[in-house]
Each structure stands twice: as C-alpha cells, then as structure tokens.
Amino acid sequence: MITHKEFVSALNNAENKYYHINKTQFIDLLPIDIGYNKHTTWDISDTYPYYLIHYFIKGNATLIVNGQTYKVTKNQMFLVPPNVPVRYFNSGKGDVEFIWLNFSGIQCMDAVNLTAFANSPVINVTHKKEIFSILAQSLLDCESTLMQTISPLTTLYSILKILIQENSKNVIQPKKSTISDFQTILSFINAHLFSSQLSAQYVCNKCFISPEYLSRIFIKKMKMHYSSYVNIERIKKASSLLEDTDMSVKEIALQTGYKDVFYFCKVFKKYRLFTPSEYRLQKSQKNT
C-alpha cells in the first residue's frame, strides 16, 4: 500500500500529472482520464459528458452543483455528475491537492446509485488509506503506456466496490422525496439520454414522480411528449455520427440508446424522412 510520502517522492515534486486513457465512452464502465493536481489558485466552472471523482489529499474546496453548495476537505471525495453545470474552487488559504478520475459508460448511473454518492455529491471516505493508495498507484502505473489500458480500469472497479460496500453498511436510509423541479428532471434525463435504460418509467422511479406527472410537465414545459423529446435528441446525435464518422448503423443505434437497430431505423426515418443509410449517402454526396 503506497503512502502519501512515497507517492509525492515518485512524482519528483511535480504539481500536475495527467494521462488521457480512453476516447470510447459507450461500454459498461470505462475510465476516461486520471490525473493529479496541486493548486493554490483553483476555480473551475464546466459541464462534463462523464462522471468525475476527486479524492482530496489536502486543503479545502467548495463545490456548487444543482444550486447547492458543499464544502470539501481532506479525506473526502466529491462526484461531478455528467451534463450538469458545476463549479468547484479552492476555498482555503493554502494549496489544494487531489487525485481525480473520469469515467463513463451505460452502467455508471446504476453503479453510482449504489454508493453514498446517490445521496450527496460529497462523501467521507472510511477506507481513506486504501482508496488513496489505489488511486496513487494507478496514476504512477500510467507512466507505462501499456498499463494505461489496465490499471485505471482495475482502479475504477476497486474504488466503486469499496464505496458500495461502505454504503451498504449504512443503516440510515434517506427519505425519498419527489423531485418537482422540471430543470432537475430534465438534467437527469439529459445526463442519461443515450442509455438504453432511459424509459419513462425509469425516470419516474429515479425522480420519484408518477408517469402522469412526467407526461403533464413535459407537455407544459416542452410542448411535446417525453418520448418525442428523447427521440429527437437521440436522432440529432445519430445524424451527427452518420455525417462525421464511419460507424455502422448498428453501432450508432447502440451508442444513441437503441438496442433494436430496426426500431432505430424506423424512428430515424420518422424524423429525418430518410433511412440512416440514405441520410448518410445524401450528406456525403452534398459534400463531394
């Protein structure tokens, strides 16, 4: 188990380390980037297409997400959700020091919901030495290009396993409360727009609302049905992939949340008046 002193020594006093690990984001669980930072001035405002975990080694920070403010300090972790505007910054006088790990995939939401992150974006870490050691060793392993494809994946599964086990021991269960704010519901939908699990019932279960309420609020706020919104946004993404990539129609269907390629083609033709193959051919001819 690596200690903080050993980790800092191995970094050779570097204040930043970063490795881009993967570009493909549409498998079950996949680490995207891993990095280490040490900052005096640190203020980030962004929206990410993936989950982002920070493990705090030193300092004090503030996280603002969904209009809520959270304090973060040593031996805590915070989770930045995908497709939600966030801001986090150094709120102390000295340095902040942390290791971070980005990850994505169609099962991320289910895995995260089994941890204490389901209740709060900031959590205390019980097995802090173990989690620090796993993250630190993984970052150092990435000095080897070969290990960049192995170590962060093992790290992600190991950390989620620890956090899930920690959460299962907590006998105090939070009360379920209905999410009535439409922007919160819409942010949840957009964060998981390309997951094949994103049915209306799934959204209702996660937001503790009824199907009738979901239908009513969508028509009121968006002037369209829930299913129409999801399909329109997915077809926009599919159209972009047809124009800009060489991915097969089947791959694009899966990447945009459709398990059945025939159903995907049917929906695509409804909104674009062409099949996916016809649409791609038409666009390619216009560009030649």
Side-chain angles (χ1 to χ4, degrees), residues 58-116:
K58 179 183 177 183
N60 296 283
T62 298
L63 169 69
I64 304 173
V65 57
N66 285 328
Q68 298 293 316
T69 300
Y70 303 86
K71 298 299 182 182
V72 191
T73 190
K74 181 179 178 181
N75 295 326
Q76 288 187 321
M77 297 177 75
F78 74 76
L79 180 74
V80 172
N83 302 314
V84 175
V86 295
R87 182 187 175 205
Y88 43 98
F89 55 91
N90 184 358
S91 55
K93 294 182 179 179
D95 291 337
V96 289
E97 185 180 358
F98 52 88
I99 302 176
W100 48 270
L101 177 66
N102 302 345
F103 60 100
S104 186
I106 59 176
Q107 290 188 347
C108 284
M109 179 173 60
D110 290 334
V112 167
N113 283 342
L114 293 174
T115 72

Tab-separated table of all heavy atoms in Angstrom, residues 58-116:
chain	number	residue	atom	x	y	z
A	58	LYS	N	-5.421	17.148	0.403
A	58	LYS	CA	-5.049	18.311	1.225
A	58	LYS	C	-5.897	19.509	0.819
A	58	LYS	O	-6.257	19.659	-0.343
A	58	LYS	CB	-3.564	18.641	1.005
A	58	LYS	CG	-3.040	19.844	1.763
A	58	LYS	CD	-1.584	20.110	1.407
A	58	LYS	CE	-1.057	21.355	2.097
A	58	LYS	NZ	0.346	21.647	1.689
A	59	GLY	N	-6.214	20.373	1.798
A	59	GLY	CA	-6.858	21.644	1.509
A	59	GLY	C	-8.360	21.643	1.715
A	59	GLY	O	-8.957	20.675	2.198
A	60	ASN	N	-8.963	22.750	1.339
A	60	ASN	CA	-10.409	22.943	1.465
A	60	ASN	C	-10.952	23.503	0.165
A	60	ASN	O	-10.352	24.400	-0.434
A	60	ASN	CB	-10.728	23.917	2.605
A	60	ASN	CG	-10.298	23.384	3.956
A	60	ASN	OD1	-10.944	22.530	4.522
A	60	ASN	ND2	-9.173	23.897	4.466
A	61	ALA	N	-12.101	22.980	-0.250
A	61	ALA	CA	-12.705	23.414	-1.509
A	61	ALA	C	-14.202	23.571	-1.333
A	61	ALA	O	-14.794	23.097	-0.354
A	61	ALA	CB	-12.399	22.428	-2.625
A	62	THR	N	-14.791	24.254	-2.301
A	62	THR	CA	-16.246	24.401	-2.352
A	62	THR	C	-16.741	23.859	-3.683
A	62	THR	O	-16.148	24.133	-4.732
A	62	THR	CB	-16.642	25.886	-2.222
A	62	THR	OG1	-16.211	26.375	-0.948
A	62	THR	CG2	-18.157	26.055	-2.338
A	63	LEU	N	-17.806	23.078	-3.613
A	63	LEU	CA	-18.442	22.520	-4.807
A	63	LEU	C	-19.856	23.074	-4.907
A	63	LEU	O	-20.607	23.048	-3.929
A	63	LEU	CB	-18.485	20.991	-4.715
A	63	LEU	CG	-19.354	20.261	-5.755
A	63	LEU	CD1	-18.745	20.377	-7.151
A	63	LEU	CD2	-19.529	18.793	-5.366
A	64	ILE	N	-20.219	23.583	-6.085
A	64	ILE	CA	-21.582	24.074	-6.329
A	64	ILE	C	-22.169	23.275	-7.480
A	64	ILE	O	-21.649	23.312	-8.596
A	64	ILE	CB	-21.598	25.578	-6.658
A	64	ILE	CG1	-20.928	26.387	-5.533
A	64	ILE	CG2	-23.021	26.061	-6.881
A	64	ILE	CD1	-20.765	27.859	-5.858
A	65	VAL	N	-23.259	22.557	-7.200
A	65	VAL	CA	-23.911	21.738	-8.215
A	65	VAL	C	-25.418	21.745	-7.968
A	65	VAL	O	-25.853	21.641	-6.825
A	65	VAL	CB	-23.337	20.301	-8.214
A	65	VAL	CG1	-23.479	19.644	-6.853
A	65	VAL	CG2	-24.000	19.441	-9.280
A	66	ASN	N	-26.186	21.915	-9.031
A	66	ASN	CA	-27.653	21.970	-8.926
A	66	ASN	C	-28.124	23.020	-7.919
A	66	ASN	O	-29.103	22.819	-7.197
A	66	ASN	CB	-28.217	20.596	-8.547
A	66	ASN	CG	-28.199	19.630	-9.723
A	66	ASN	OD1	-28.339	20.037	-10.872
A	66	ASN	ND2	-28.021	18.361	-9.435
A	67	GLY	N	-27.391	24.131	-7.848
A	67	GLY	CA	-27.768	25.219	-6.964
A	67	GLY	C	-27.442	24.992	-5.494
A	67	GLY	O	-27.741	25.843	-4.654
A	68	GLN	N	-26.813	23.867	-5.176
A	68	GLN	CA	-26.452	23.547	-3.797
A	68	GLN	C	-24.942	23.711	-3.606
A	68	GLN	O	-24.152	23.400	-4.497
A	68	GLN	CB	-26.852	22.110	-3.454
A	68	GLN	CG	-28.349	21.846	-3.536
A	68	GLN	CD	-29.127	22.589	-2.465
A	68	GLN	OE1	-28.716	22.616	-1.310
A	68	GLN	NE2	-30.235	23.187	-2.849
A	69	THR	N	-24.544	24.199	-2.434
A	69	THR	CA	-23.137	24.416	-2.115
A	69	THR	C	-22.670	23.390	-1.084
A	69	THR	O	-23.344	23.156	-0.081
A	69	THR	CB	-22.919	25.839	-1.565
A	69	THR	OG1	-23.332	26.791	-2.547
A	69	THR	CG2	-21.446	26.073	-1.229
A	70	TYR	N	-21.520	22.804	-1.341
A	70	TYR	CA	-20.963	21.778	-0.454
A	70	TYR	C	-19.504	22.127	-0.143
A	70	TYR	O	-18.774	22.626	-1.009
A	70	TYR	CB	-21.005	20.399	-1.116
A	70	TYR	CG	-22.381	19.956	-1.556
A	70	TYR	CD1	-22.880	20.317	-2.804
A	70	TYR	CD2	-23.186	19.178	-0.728
A	70	TYR	CE1	-24.147	19.914	-3.221
A	70	TYR	CE2	-24.447	18.770	-1.135
A	70	TYR	CZ	-24.918	19.144	-2.378
A	70	TYR	OH	-26.158	18.745	-2.784
A	71	LYS	N	-19.096	21.844	1.088
A	71	LYS	CA	-17.711	22.024	1.493
A	71	LYS	C	-16.973	20.693	1.366
A	71	LYS	O	-17.513	19.641	1.695
A	71	LYS	CB	-17.623	22.535	2.932
A	71	LYS	CG	-18.268	23.903	3.138
A	71	LYS	CD	-17.581	24.977	2.289
A	71	LYS	CE	-18.201	26.350	2.529
A	71	LYS	NZ	-17.557	27.380	1.675
A	72	VAL	N	-15.725	20.761	0.886
A	72	VAL	CA	-14.912	19.565	0.696
A	72	VAL	C	-13.580	19.773	1.393
A	72	VAL	O	-12.970	20.842	1.287
A	72	VAL	CB	-14.662	19.288	-0.801
A	72	VAL	CG1	-14.041	17.903	-0.981
A	72	VAL	CG2	-15.928	19.420	-1.626
A	73	THR	N	-13.131	18.748	2.102
A	73	THR	CA	-11.853	18.851	2.794
A	73	THR	C	-11.099	17.524	2.708
A	73	THR	O	-11.539	16.584	2.031
A	73	THR	CB	-12.062	19.284	4.261
A	73	THR	OG1	-10.790	19.604	4.841
A	73	THR	CG2	-12.744	18.196	5.070
A	74	LYS	N	-9.973	17.440	3.411
A	74	LYS	CA	-9.087	16.275	3.363
A	74	LYS	C	-9.835	14.974	3.656
A	74	LYS	O	-10.684	14.919	4.533
A	74	LYS	CB	-7.962	16.475	4.382
A	74	LYS	CG	-6.942	15.347	4.433
A	74	LYS	CD	-5.867	15.660	5.452
A	74	LYS	CE	-4.861	14.512	5.557
A	74	LYS	NZ	-3.824	14.792	6.576
A	75	ASN	N	-9.479	13.938	2.885
A	75	ASN	CA	-10.048	12.589	3.033
A	75	ASN	C	-11.537	12.530	2.708
A	75	ASN	O	-12.255	11.654	3.179
A	75	ASN	CB	-9.799	12.022	4.437
A	75	ASN	CG	-8.320	11.814	4.709
A	75	ASN	OD1	-7.558	11.489	3.814
A	75	ASN	ND2	-7.907	12.017	5.951
A	76	GLN	N	-11.990	13.478	1.896
A	76	GLN	CA	-13.335	13.403	1.351
A	76	GLN	C	-13.237	13.233	-0.164
A	76	GLN	O	-12.204	13.526	-0.775
A	76	GLN	CB	-14.140	14.662	1.680
A	76	GLN	CG	-14.544	14.775	3.143
A	76	GLN	CD	-15.490	15.942	3.390
A	76	GLN	OE1	-15.347	17.013	2.810
A	76	GLN	NE2	-16.469	15.724	4.251
A	77	MET	N	-14.324	12.767	-0.742
A	77	MET	CA	-14.407	12.650	-2.197
A	77	MET	C	-15.630	13.408	-2.672
A	77	MET	O	-16.634	13.455	-1.960
A	77	MET	CB	-14.526	11.180	-2.624
A	77	MET	CG	-13.337	10.326	-2.254
A	77	MET	SD	-13.573	8.569	-2.693
A	77	MET	CE	-13.337	8.631	-4.468
A	78	PHE	N	-15.523	14.021	-3.858
A	78	PHE	CA	-16.737	14.574	-4.439
A	78	PHE	C	-16.900	14.071	-5.867
A	78	PHE	O	-15.929	13.747	-6.557
A	78	PHE	CB	-16.792	16.106	-4.338
A	78	PHE	CG	-15.907	16.897	-5.256
A	78	PHE	CD1	-16.216	17.060	-6.601
A	78	PHE	CD2	-14.783	17.547	-4.755
A	78	PHE	CE1	-15.434	17.830	-7.427
A	78	PHE	CE2	-13.993	18.334	-5.574
A	78	PHE	CZ	-14.314	18.464	-6.917
A	79	LEU	N	-18.152	13.980	-6.271
A	79	LEU	CA	-18.507	13.451	-7.579
A	79	LEU	C	-19.195	14.529	-8.399
A	79	LEU	O	-20.211	15.082	-7.990
A	79	LEU	CB	-19.451	12.249	-7.426
A	79	LEU	CG	-19.898	11.596	-8.734
A	79	LEU	CD1	-18.752	10.782	-9.330
A	79	LEU	CD2	-21.113	10.695	-8.504
A	80	VAL	N	-18.637	14.839	-9.563
A	80	VAL	CA	-19.265	15.765	-10.509
A	80	VAL	C	-20.103	14.927	-11.469
A	80	VAL	O	-19.584	14.052	-12.142
A	80	VAL	CB	-18.198	16.562	-11.284
A	80	VAL	CG1	-18.848	17.376	-12.397
A	80	VAL	CG2	-17.416	17.462	-10.336
A	81	PRO	N	-21.420	15.181	-11.549
A	81	PRO	CA	-22.270	14.398	-12.441
A	81	PRO	C	-22.130	14.853	-13.889
A	81	PRO	O	-21.710	15.983	-14.151
A	81	PRO	CB	-23.686	14.688	-11.912
A	81	PRO	CG	-23.566	16.041	-11.309
A	81	PRO	CD	-22.176	16.148	-10.756
A	82	PRO	N	-22.473	13.999	-14.843
A	82	PRO	CA	-22.356	14.385	-16.252
A	82	PRO	C	-23.457	15.339	-16.690
A	82	PRO	O	-24.575	15.296	-16.188
A	82	PRO	CB	-22.488	13.038	-16.990
A	82	PRO	CG	-23.306	12.191	-16.069
A	82	PRO	CD	-22.917	12.601	-14.685
A	83	ASN	N	-23.095	16.210	-17.628
A	83	ASN	CA	-24.056	17.098	-18.298
A	83	ASN	C	-24.805	18.023	-17.345
A	83	ASN	O	-25.938	18.412	-17.618
A	83	ASN	CB	-25.055	16.273	-19.126
A	83	ASN	CG	-24.356	15.411	-20.148
A	83	ASN	OD1	-23.469	15.873	-20.857
A	83	ASN	ND2	-24.728	14.139	-20.207
A	84	VAL	N	-24.172	18.356	-16.234
A	84	VAL	CA	-24.752	19.288	-15.263
A	84	VAL	C	-23.715	20.387	-14.992
A	84	VAL	O	-22.587	20.083	-14.627
A	84	VAL	CB	-25.117	18.574	-13.947
A	84	VAL	CG1	-25.607	19.573	-12.919
A	84	VAL	CG2	-26.178	17.507	-14.184
A	85	PRO	N	-24.055	21.661	-15.167
A	85	PRO	CA	-23.088	22.733	-14.880
A	85	PRO	C	-22.653	22.709	-13.413
A	85	PRO	O	-23.487	22.618	-12.516
A	85	PRO	CB	-23.875	24.012	-15.192
A	85	PRO	CG	-24.956	23.573	-16.127
A	85	PRO	CD	-25.328	22.189	-15.691
A	86	VAL	N	-21.358	22.749	-13.196
A	86	VAL	CA	-20.813	22.732	-11.834
A	86	VAL	C	-19.707	23.778	-11.713
A	86	VAL	O	-19.133	24.222	-12.708
A	86	VAL	CB	-20.234	21.339	-11.467
A	86	VAL	CG1	-21.313	20.280	-11.432
A	86	VAL	CG2	-19.115	20.955	-12.426
A	87	ARG	N	-19.445	24.148	-10.467
A	87	ARG	CA	-18.294	24.988	-10.173
A	87	ARG	C	-17.639	24.454	-8.916
A	87	ARG	O	-18.326	24.088	-7.948
A	87	ARG	CB	-18.715	26.448	-9.951
A	87	ARG	CG	-17.513	27.374	-9.675
A	87	ARG	CD	-17.933	28.771	-9.291
A	87	ARG	NE	-16.767	29.577	-8.913
A	87	ARG	CZ	-16.808	30.623	-8.102
A	87	ARG	NH1	-17.965	31.011	-7.584
A	87	ARG	NH2	-15.709	31.284	-7.799
A	88	TYR	N	-16.310	24.372	-8.919
A	88	TYR	CA	-15.591	23.987	-7.707
A	88	TYR	C	-14.284	24.773	-7.654
A	88	TYR	O	-13.664	25.052	-8.671
A	88	TYR	CB	-15.345	22.478	-7.638
A	88	TYR	CG	-14.888	21.812	-8.914
A	88	TYR	CD1	-13.538	21.552	-9.147
A	88	TYR	CD2	-15.810	21.419	-9.882
A	88	TYR	CE1	-13.121	20.928	-10.308
A	88	TYR	CE2	-15.398	20.793	-11.046
A	88	TYR	CZ	-14.046	20.550	-11.256
A	88	TYR	OH	-13.639	19.936	-12.420
A	89	PHE	N	-13.904	25.156	-6.408
A	89	PHE	CA	-12.767	26.055	-6.274
A	89	PHE	C	-12.128	25.926	-4.897
A	89	PHE	O	-12.733	25.413	-3.944
A	89	PHE	CB	-13.196	27.506	-6.517
A	89	PHE	CG	-14.338	27.978	-5.635
A	89	PHE	CD1	-14.095	28.586	-4.410
A	89	PHE	CD2	-15.656	27.802	-6.044
A	89	PHE	CE1	-15.142	29.026	-3.609
A	89	PHE	CE2	-16.710	28.235	-5.259
A	89	PHE	CZ	-16.455	28.847	-4.037
A	90	ASN	N	-10.888	26.391	-4.807
A	90	ASN	CA	-10.149	26.415	-3.554
A	90	ASN	C	-10.771	27.467	-2.639
A	90	ASN	O	-10.819	28.646	-2.973
A	90	ASN	CB	-8.678	26.749	-3.839
A	90	ASN	CG	-7.817	26.697	-2.591
A	90	ASN	OD1	-8.308	26.449	-1.494
A	90	ASN	ND2	-6.524	26.924	-2.764
A	91	SER	N	-11.241	27.042	-1.480
A	91	SER	CA	-11.859	27.983	-0.549
A	91	SER	C	-11.024	28.160	0.711
A	91	SER	O	-11.490	28.723	1.700
A	91	SER	CB	-13.271	27.509	-0.176
A	91	SER	OG	-13.247	26.186	0.328
A	92	GLY	N	-9.769	27.681	0.669
A	92	GLY	CA	-8.860	27.848	1.800
A	92	GLY	C	-7.712	28.779	1.446
A	92	GLY	O	-7.661	29.357	0.367
A	93	LYS	N	-6.780	28.914	2.359
A	93	LYS	CA	-5.651	29.828	2.153
A	93	LYS	C	-4.462	29.137	1.509
A	93	LYS	O	-3.649	29.772	0.849
A	93	LYS	CB	-5.225	30.440	3.497
A	93	LYS	CG	-6.288	31.351	4.118
A	93	LYS	CD	-5.788	31.956	5.414
A	93	LYS	CE	-6.846	32.891	6.015
A	93	LYS	NZ	-6.382	33.482	7.293
A	94	GLY	N	-4.327	27.834	1.702
A	94	GLY	CA	-3.181	27.112	1.163
A	94	GLY	C	-3.512	26.362	-0.119
A	94	GLY	O	-4.480	26.666	-0.817
A	95	ASP	N	-2.689	25.373	-0.412
A	95	ASP	CA	-2.887	24.556	-1.603
A	95	ASP	C	-4.051	23.587	-1.416
A	95	ASP	O	-4.404	23.217	-0.291
A	95	ASP	CB	-1.633	23.721	-1.900
A	95	ASP	CG	-0.457	24.568	-2.361
A	95	ASP	OD1	-0.702	25.673	-2.868
A	95	ASP	OD2	0.693	24.108	-2.210
A	96	VAL	N	-4.639	23.201	-2.543
A	96	VAL	CA	-5.483	22.010	-2.576
A	96	VAL	C	-4.709	20.949	-3.352
A	96	VAL	O	-4.000	21.257	-4.308
A	96	VAL	CB	-6.854	22.266	-3.243
A	96	VAL	CG1	-7.731	23.121	-2.362
A	96	VAL	CG2	-6.696	22.893	-4.612
A	97	GLU	N	-4.830	19.711	-2.922
A	97	GLU	CA	-4.110	18.611	-3.551
A	97	GLU	C	-5.085	17.447	-3.691
A	97	GLU	O	-5.758	17.082	-2.728
A	97	GLU	CB	-2.911	18.214	-2.690
A	97	GLU	CG	-2.025	17.157	-3.313
A	97	GLU	CD	-0.836	16.807	-2.403
A	97	GLU	OE1	-0.699	17.428	-1.324
A	97	GLU	OE2	-0.087	15.889	-2.769
A	98	PHE	N	-5.171	16.879	-4.882
A	98	PHE	CA	-6.168	15.837	-5.106
A	98	PHE	C	-5.792	14.968	-6.306
A	98	PHE	O	-4.988	15.353	-7.159
A	98	PHE	CB	-7.549	16.457	-5.346
A	98	PHE	CG	-7.571	17.507	-6.425
A	98	PHE	CD1	-7.785	17.174	-7.756
A	98	PHE	CD2	-7.365	18.853	-6.109
A	98	PHE	CE1	-7.785	18.141	-8.744
A	98	PHE	CE2	-7.365	19.825	-7.096
A	98	PHE	CZ	-7.574	19.466	-8.419
A	99	ILE	N	-6.374	13.789	-6.324
A	99	ILE	CA	-6.291	12.890	-7.477
A	99	ILE	C	-7.698	12.761	-8.042
A	99	ILE	O	-8.663	12.669	-7.290
A	99	ILE	CB	-5.751	11.501	-7.087
A	99	ILE	CG1	-4.379	11.623	-6.438
A	99	ILE	CG2	-5.674	10.586	-8.308
A	99	ILE	CD1	-3.811	10.311	-5.929
A	100	TRP	N	-7.821	12.770	-9.359
A	100	TRP	CA	-9.151	12.702	-9.970
A	100	TRP	C	-9.205	11.598	-11.020
A	100	TRP	O	-8.193	11.202	-11.600
A	100	TRP	CB	-9.556	14.039	-10.573
A	100	TRP	CG	-8.524	14.711	-11.442
A	100	TRP	CD1	-7.568	15.593	-11.045
A	100	TRP	CD2	-8.349	14.543	-12.852
A	100	TRP	NE1	-6.805	16.005	-12.113
A	100	TRP	CE2	-7.263	15.374	-13.241
A	100	TRP	CE3	-8.982	13.804	-13.830
A	100	TRP	CZ2	-6.805	15.468	-14.549
A	100	TRP	CZ3	-8.543	13.887	-15.144
A	100	TRP	CH2	-7.466	14.712	-15.492
A	101	LEU	N	-10.415	11.121	-11.230
A	101	LEU	CA	-10.644	10.026	-12.174
A	101	LEU	C	-11.973	10.254	-12.890
A	101	LEU	O	-13.015	10.382	-12.241
A	101	LEU	CB	-10.666	8.682	-11.429
A	101	LEU	CG	-10.975	7.427	-12.253
A	101	LEU	CD1	-9.853	7.161	-13.252
A	101	LEU	CD2	-11.154	6.218	-11.334
A	102	ASN	N	-11.944	10.348	-14.209
A	102	ASN	CA	-13.161	10.488	-15.017
A	102	ASN	C	-13.597	9.110	-15.506
A	102	ASN	O	-12.749	8.283	-15.874
A	102	ASN	CB	-12.913	11.347	-16.260
A	102	ASN	CG	-12.412	12.728	-15.929
A	102	ASN	OD1	-12.507	13.156	-14.790
A	102	ASN	ND2	-11.880	13.415	-16.908
A	103	PHE	N	-14.887	8.873	-15.557
A	103	PHE	CA	-15.354	7.599	-16.097
A	103	PHE	C	-16.727	7.756	-16.730
A	103	PHE	O	-17.477	8.683	-16.439
A	103	PHE	CB	-15.372	6.509	-15.020
A	103	PHE	CG	-16.248	6.786	-13.835
A	103	PHE	CD1	-17.508	6.219	-13.731
A	103	PHE	CD2	-15.808	7.594	-12.789
A	103	PHE	CE1	-18.316	6.460	-12.630
A	103	PHE	CE2	-16.605	7.838	-11.682
A	103	PHE	CZ	-17.868	7.259	-11.601
A	104	SER	N	-17.039	6.833	-17.620
A	104	SER	CA	-18.291	6.886	-18.349
A	104	SER	C	-18.755	5.461	-18.641
A	104	SER	O	-18.104	4.497	-18.264
A	104	SER	CB	-18.105	7.679	-19.651
A	104	SER	OG	-19.343	7.854	-20.311
A	105	GLY	N	-19.899	5.340	-19.326
A	105	GLY	CA	-20.432	4.030	-19.674
A	105	GLY	C	-21.891	3.898	-19.299
A	105	GLY	O	-22.408	4.635	-18.459
A	106	ILE	N	-22.561	2.928	-19.902
A	106	ILE	CA	-24.006	2.820	-19.750
A	106	ILE	C	-24.438	2.327	-18.376
A	106	ILE	O	-25.612	2.425	-18.027
A	106	ILE	CB	-24.605	1.910	-20.845
A	106	ILE	CG1	-23.994	0.504	-20.776
A	106	ILE	CG2	-24.392	2.516	-22.220
A	106	ILE	CD1	-24.607	-0.469	-21.774
A	107	GLN	N	-23.508	1.784	-17.583
A	107	GLN	CA	-23.879	1.306	-16.253
A	107	GLN	C	-23.385	2.220	-15.140
A	107	GLN	O	-23.498	1.882	-13.961
A	107	GLN	CB	-23.351	-0.114	-16.028
A	107	GLN	CG	-24.065	-1.159	-16.871
A	107	GLN	CD	-23.662	-2.577	-16.509
A	107	GLN	OE1	-22.690	-2.802	-15.809
A	107	GLN	NE2	-24.419	-3.539	-16.992
A	108	CYS	N	-22.854	3.376	-15.504
A	108	CYS	CA	-22.316	4.291	-14.487
A	108	CYS	C	-23.378	4.704	-13.471
A	108	CYS	O	-23.128	4.688	-12.266
A	108	CYS	CB	-21.742	5.535	-15.149
A	108	CYS	SG	-20.151	5.272	-15.923
A	109	MET	N	-24.537	5.089	-13.962
A	109	MET	CA	-25.576	5.591	-13.071
A	109	MET	C	-25.976	4.535	-12.047
A	109	MET	O	-26.118	4.830	-10.850
A	109	MET	CB	-26.800	6.023	-13.876
A	109	MET	CG	-27.952	6.545	-13.019
A	109	MET	SD	-29.278	7.237	-14.009
A	109	MET	CE	-29.754	5.815	-14.983
A	110	ASP	N	-26.133	3.289	-12.498
A	110	ASP	CA	-26.522	2.224	-11.572
A	110	ASP	C	-25.437	1.980	-10.530
A	110	ASP	O	-25.735	1.754	-9.349
A	110	ASP	CB	-26.804	0.932	-12.348
A	110	ASP	CG	-28.073	1.028	-13.172
A	110	ASP	OD1	-28.959	1.818	-12.792
A	110	ASP	OD2	-28.174	0.331	-14.194
A	111	ALA	N	-24.176	2.019	-10.959
A	111	ALA	CA	-23.076	1.799	-10.018
A	111	ALA	C	-23.000	2.927	-8.999
A	111	ALA	O	-22.878	2.685	-7.793
A	111	ALA	CB	-21.757	1.677	-10.778
A	112	VAL	N	-23.080	4.172	-9.473
A	112	VAL	CA	-23.016	5.334	-8.575
A	112	VAL	C	-24.169	5.320	-7.576
A	112	VAL	O	-24.000	5.663	-6.401
A	112	VAL	CB	-23.018	6.643	-9.396
A	112	VAL	CG1	-23.272	7.853	-8.500
A	112	VAL	CG2	-21.696	6.801	-10.131
A	113	ASN	N	-25.350	4.901	-8.019
A	113	ASN	CA	-26.521	4.888	-7.139
A	113	ASN	C	-26.417	3.869	-6.006
A	113	ASN	O	-27.201	3.913	-5.063
A	113	ASN	CB	-27.789	4.626	-7.949
A	113	ASN	CG	-28.253	5.856	-8.699
A	113	ASN	OD1	-27.851	6.968	-8.380
A	113	ASN	ND2	-29.081	5.665	-9.710
A	114	LEU	N	-25.456	2.972	-6.092
A	114	LEU	CA	-25.227	2.001	-5.018
A	114	LEU	C	-24.262	2.538	-3.965
A	114	LEU	O	-24.067	1.912	-2.925
A	114	LEU	CB	-24.682	0.683	-5.593
A	114	LEU	CG	-25.642	-0.117	-6.473
A	114	LEU	CD1	-24.920	-1.317	-7.078
A	114	LEU	CD2	-26.857	-0.580	-5.679
A	115	THR	N	-23.678	3.689	-4.235
A	115	THR	CA	-22.738	4.298	-3.296
A	115	THR	C	-23.407	5.452	-2.556
A	115	THR	O	-24.542	5.829	-2.855
A	115	THR	CB	-21.498	4.846	-4.036
A	115	THR	OG1	-21.874	6.020	-4.780
A	115	THR	CG2	-20.921	3.816	-5.007
A	116	ALA	N	-22.675	6.033	-1.604
A	116	ALA	CA	-23.204	7.187	-0.870
A	116	ALA	C	-23.361	8.407	-1.758
A	116	ALA	O	-24.043	9.365	-1.388
A	116	ALA	CB	-22.285	7.514	0.313
